[in-house]
Amino acid sequence: MNFRYDINGLRGIAIVAVVLFHFNPVWIPGGFAGVDVFFVISGFLMTKIIFKGLENNDFNLFKFYVARANRIIPALGVLCLVLLVLGWFFLIPVDYIALTKHIASSMGFLSNVIYWRESGYFDVASHEKWLLHTWSLSVEWQFYILYPIMLVALKRFVSLENLKRLIVVGTILGFLFSIVGTMKWLNAAYYLLPTRSWEMMLGGIAFLYPWSISEEKKKVAEVVGLFLILSSYTFISSDVPWPGYSALFPVLGAYLMIVANQQSSVITNNLVFQSLGKWSYSVYLWHWPIVVYGYYFDIENWHLYGLLLSIIFGFLSFKYIESLKFKSFKQWSEVLKIKPISMILIIGGGALILFYNPQFYFLSKYKDSPNVDFFINGMKQSYADTKAYTWRNFDSIGNVKVFNKGVLIIGDSQAGDFTNILVNLGIQEKYSLSSSIVSAKCGIGYLDNADVGLWRKLSTDIKLIPNLESSCIEFWRKVKLNIENNPSVDVIFYVMNWRKYSFDLLSKSIESIKEMNPKIKVVIVGKKGLGDLLKEDVSVDLESKAFSNLEKSMSIKERTRRLSLVGDDFIDLYSHLCDLEKRKCTISYGGVPILYDGVHSTINGVEFLSYKIKSDISRILNLK
């Protein structure tokens, strides 16, 4: 296979963009599009390997997989091993256990699914995830697995020419699906293969249908392609829904530069981009953990050192790890002889064992700490099915039509926790339960359209989150429909992770609800966040720490007073969790933390709060 200097140089252009974006998005706001360029390159190279094998009738699927494993896994495995060892000594417990989960998912090439389920790529929390960037490797590996299987299977029924045409059709359909998917499921579209596969397939088209045009026109194609890529780096930012139709710019740009096939171009065939292109995979692997290191330990001007370290570590990884030659195999029976597979089993398997058995970690490091059981049980609850439990009952009653006495729960994930309490108390046996979800970032559970201007003025979230206003208006529209369609609702429990500005909007919100149904009793439920104690030092007095966390933003008394002034009734969760005189809060029940992340209830936490507020619920709902 002839070496493509243009493609290697294109890798260099892509890695520069990605690295600069991650160290400082202001420098190159659309630098994340460099990943899309890598996808096109991968699609071109994989299609070339597969089709040459199909044309010669000697394509070996297992040999193809072994070659990919030998290329990708060793450098990734070394990075994961380094993080696993260093994290043991330098990370706080909750972050280390999270790291073991991410290492296992990265080594198993499922990290894109994990990160999709956890949060958005541009969230602040992304800088706490040492292997976030491996989502793209997982997407590529999933493509490597499925793409050749589909082509080999289809080859039995269609000719090679028709197989090429099917790839063209699949690319067009994949692009259209990516547009729709980005509009409907933004985070899923960013991370998952179905909305990314068209990018790699377009790279395949670049191989299958090379351009037969003059050299002058090919030079024009290269320049236009470079212009599209650089324009996407410059004018697109994380505010733009991605990938969607916007991804066409860097993807089409990469396609044009590949079909231009300019081997002697000064744009790509120069010392800088040729060197960075050769090191690009290793630079990509190491740069993000280096970025996170600077954030995690709050190092001033870290980018000045981090950029240089990324290149140095990338070069060393390329020279001493990527350059290692691993034996190839052709038979499936030889799978256990493949050394990279051993790395997956040892490193990924070891991380997975630590993740599901955090007691190994805690008893090794903190066996003498009085809080060791709290942390062990907390980790197990945090990463079990607790997050799914938060929403289980809330989601199941979301579209319930109320025909008799009814209770409507409005709010965010705090409302999910509260719904679990009501169900645990058996309220559904006497009242019909219904729910309306509203994002915590809206700050308030309902506002009439006339008051949106006031919310826009007061909200501190709107400045940080693109398209938040339209999302909140849609949430509020559905709340209104739920109230209007359920005239039998007697009580509304209004439960949110209240912002400071929420207090200035609550009266307006309740007035708007009462205008729709004056007979409704609106009950405000206070916050219960105690801070993420699982991120504290194991030796800290956690009950006192939980209390001090509450006083940082607003005193407990002031928060309670402001909430209790509005609505027809008020449930003060803090009065059940904290002792104001002793300045301590209850943090566990039955040996398990009440909250799994500082805000959301564990299953034990629901049991505890059910017991504590049972009398409040009985009074409000006139239960005997």
Side-chain angles (χ1 to χ4, degrees):
M1 186 181 294
N2 294 329
F3 186 78
R4 288 283 300 261
Y5 291 97
D6 58 330
I7 290 179
N8 189 55
L10 185 56
R11 284 197 189 102
I13 294 171
I15 194 62
V16 167
V18 173
V19 171
L20 290 179
F21 169 77
H22 283 152
F23 274 101
N24 191 339
V26 175
W27 293 339
I28 183 164
F32 57 87
V35 172
D36 302 81
V37 174
F38 281 124
F39 284 159
V40 180
I41 294 172
S42 293
F44 174 86
L45 296 175
M46 293 311 103
T47 303
K48 183 176 183 179
I49 293 170
I50 296 167
F51 264 82
K52 282 188 175 295
L54 293 178
E55 289 172 351
N56 297 328
N57 291 314
D58 62 356
F59 179 72
N60 185 303
L61 187 62
F62 184 70
K63 185 178 179 181
F64 173 84
Y65 290 150
V66 172
R68 306 283 72 70
N70 288 341
R71 168 79 175 90
I72 294 173
I73 294 173
L76 173 63
V78 170
L79 171 66
C80 288
L81 182 60
V82 169
L83 291 176
L84 192 65
V85 173
L86 293 181
W88 179 282
F89 297 102
F90 299 111
L91 296 185
I92 60 176
V94 69
D95 289 343
Y96 185 72
I97 299 302
L99 175 63
T100 62
K101 173 187 178 182
H102 295 156
I103 286 174
S105 65
S106 296
M107 293 300 295
F109 297 104
L110 292 171
S111 61
N112 60 326
V113 178
I114 297 299
Y115 293 126
W116 158 55
R117 293 177 65 86
E118 287 183 351
S119 67
Y121 188 65
F122 302 107
D123 290 352
V124 174
S126 66
H127 286 96
E128 300 173 2
K129 298 174 181 177
W130 296 82
L131 291 166
L132 178 63
H133 62 318
T134 64
W135 73 268
S136 65
L137 302 183
S138 295
V139 169
E140 287 196 25
W141 188 254
Q142 291 158 18
F143 181 78
Y144 295 161
I145 292 174
L146 297 176
Y147 188 54
I149 291 176
M150 294 176 63
L151 294 181
V152 170
L154 289 170
K155 172 68 167 54
R156 296 182 178 182
F157 304 101
V158 299
S159 65
L160 280 175
E161 284 304 314
N162 284 333
L163 190 57
K164 294 177 182 179
R165 295 186 183 102
L166 284 175
I167 291 176
V168 174
V169 173
T171 303
I172 295 170
L173 293 177
F175 174 58
L176 295 175
F177 178 72
S178 180
I179 294 174
V180 174
T182 302
M183 291 189 294
K184 291 183 173 292
W185 314 288
L186 182 57
N187 281 347
Y190 191 95
Y191 284 108
L192 301 185
L193 177 63
T195 45
R196 293 290 192 167
S197 58
W198 72 274
E199 301 180 17
M200 288 171 271
M201 292 172 71
L202 186 62
I205 292 174
F207 168 74
L208 297 174
Y209 294 98
W211 287 11
S212 297
I213 56 176
S214 66
E215 283 301 311
E216 288 301 317
K217 289 182 179 179
K218 285 185 176 182
K219 290 179 181 179
V220 172
E222 180 194 33
V223 172
V224 172
L226 180 65
F227 173 78
L228 290 173
I229 293 172
L230 296 182
S231 295
S232 66
Y233 293 168
T234 305
F235 299 111
I236 291 172
S237 71
S238 58
D239 293 338
V240 176
W242 199 264
Y245 64 86
S246 300
L248 184 62
F249 293 98
V251 171
L252 184 59
Y255 166 81
L256 289 173
M257 291 191 71
I258 290 172
V259 294
N261 198 4
Q262 296 297 290
Q263 299 307 299
S264 302
S265 171
V266 69
I267 296 173
T268 53
N269 196 354
N270 58 71
L271 180 62
V272 173
F273 287 146
Q274 285 299 307
S275 298
L276 290 174
K278 286 190 294 184
W279 311 336
S280 60
Y281 174 56
S282 284
V283 171
Y284 183 79
L285 282 178
W286 283 94
H287 89 281
W288 179 253
I290 291 172
V291 170
V292 174
Y293 182 88
Y295 274 88
Y296 193 88
F297 294 103
D298 195 23
I299 302 174
E300 190 174 354
N301 296 320
W302 178 238
H303 60 274
L304 297 177
Y305 317 101
L307 286 170
L308 181 60
L309 285 173
S310 297
I311 295 173
I312 292 173
F313 276 80
F315 166 73
L316 293 174
S317 174
F318 169 78
K319 184 175 178 63
Y320 296 107
I321 302 171
E322 278 194 74
S323 299
L324 292 174
K325 302 299 181 182
F326 293 92
K327 188 176 179 181
S328 182
F329 298 92
K330 297 182 180 181
Q331 303 298 325
W332 290 93
S333 59
E334 299 175 304
V335 64
L336 295 180
K337 297 179 181 179
I338 304 169
K339 290 183 179 179
I341 298 297
S342 300
M343 296 182 74
I344 291 178
L345 295 176
I346 294 172
I347 300 172
L352 201 61
I353 290 171
L354 279 173
F355 174 70
Y356 281 110
N357 298 277
Q359 64 269 22
F360 295 157
Y361 168 75
F362 284 100
L363 293 177
S364 296
K365 289 194 68 176
Y366 306 109
K367 62 181 179 180
D368 297 325
S369 169
N371 295 319
V372 67
D373 289 335
F374 174 85
F375 276 81
I376 290 173
N377 293 330
M379 294 300 171
K380 288 181 176 179
Q381 284 279 321
S382 295
Y383 298 112
D385 63 345
T386 315
K387 294 183 180 180
Y389 173 74
T390 296
W391 292 106
R392 190 173 300 152
N393 288 306
F394 189 86
D395 288 343
S396 68
I397 63 174
N399 296 315
V400 172
K401 180 72 174 178
V402 176
F403 292 103
N404 48 22
K405 293 193 302 181
V407 169
L408 173 62
I409 305 104
I410 301 174
D412 53 22
S413 54
Q414 300 301 294
D417 281 347
F418 192 78
T419 303
N420 291 334
I421 291 173
L422 296 182
V423 171
N424 192 59
L425 290 172
I427 303 303
Q428 71 279 11
E429 297 173 6
K430 298 184 179 181
Y431 279 81
S432 295
L433 300 181
S434 183
S435 66
S436 279
I437 186 173
V438 179
S439 170
K441 297 177 179 63
C442 296
I444 202 77
Y446 177 73
L447 273 183
D448 188 84
N449 288 341
D451 297 319
V452 171
L454 178 61
W455 169 80
R456 190 185 302 116
K457 180 180 179 181
L458 296 174
S459 172
T460 54
D461 294 291
I462 194 172
K463 302 176 181 65
L464 304 174
I465 304 165
N467 305 315
L468 179 61
E469 181 174 337
S470 59
S471 298
C472 291
I473 289 174
E474 178 62 16
F475 280 126
W476 296 330
R477 183 187 70 81
K478 291 180 179 178
V479 170
K480 183 176 183 179
L481 285 176
N482 204 341
I483 295 175
E484 291 177 342
N485 292 337
N486 287 301
S488 298
V489 167
D490 301 295
V491 177
I492 288 179
F493 287 104
Y494 204 173
V495 199
M496 296 196 74
N497 188 11
W498 305 106
R499 270 47 172 171
K500 285 185 178 180
Y501 66 84
S502 301
F503 303 118
D504 298 318
L505 293 167
L506 265 173
S507 295
K508 285 279 188 182
S509 180
I510 294 173
E511 286 175 13
S512 298
I513 291 173
K514 293 278 191 177
E515 287 176 4
M516 288 184 275
N517 187 344
K519 297 179 182 180
I520 287 180
K521 178 192 287 189
V522 180
V523 181
I524 305 296
V525 180
K527 294 177 69 171
K528 65 178 187 301
L530 299 176
D532 196 342
L533 300 175
L534 294 175
K535 289 194 173 184
E536 297 294 341
D537 189 316
V538 179
S539 62
V540 167
D541 177 358
L542 296 176
E543 293 182 342
S544 298
K545 179 65 177 178
F547 189 91
S548 66
N549 287 342
L550 302 181
E551 296 185 305
K552 290 181 180 178
S553 57
M554 185 185 298
S555 73
I556 302 172
K557 290 182 178 179
E558 174 63 12
R559 183 187 291 111
T560 302
R561 184 189 69 81
R562 295 185 70 176
L563 282 172
S564 62
L565 288 176
V566 295
D568 300 304
D569 214 320
F570 174 64
I571 296 178
D572 179 15
L573 295 181
Y574 281 137
S575 68
H576 296 297
L577 291 173
C578 303
D579 188 320
L580 298 183
E581 294 183 1
K582 294 182 179 179
R583 298 180 62 81
K584 287 181 178 289
C585 298
T586 301
I587 61 170
S588 63
Y589 178 69
V592 176
I594 288 174
L595 306 175
Y596 66 77
D597 63 355
V599 177
H600 300 98
S601 300
T602 60
I603 297 172
N604 287 51
V606 168
E607 291 284 346
F608 175 78
L609 287 171
S610 298
Y611 164 74
K612 284 290 188 178
I613 70 171
K614 182 176 181 180
S615 58
D616 287 334
I617 300 298
S618 297
R619 171 179 52 79
I620 291 167
L621 297 180
N622 297 315
L623 299 176
K624 296 181 180 179

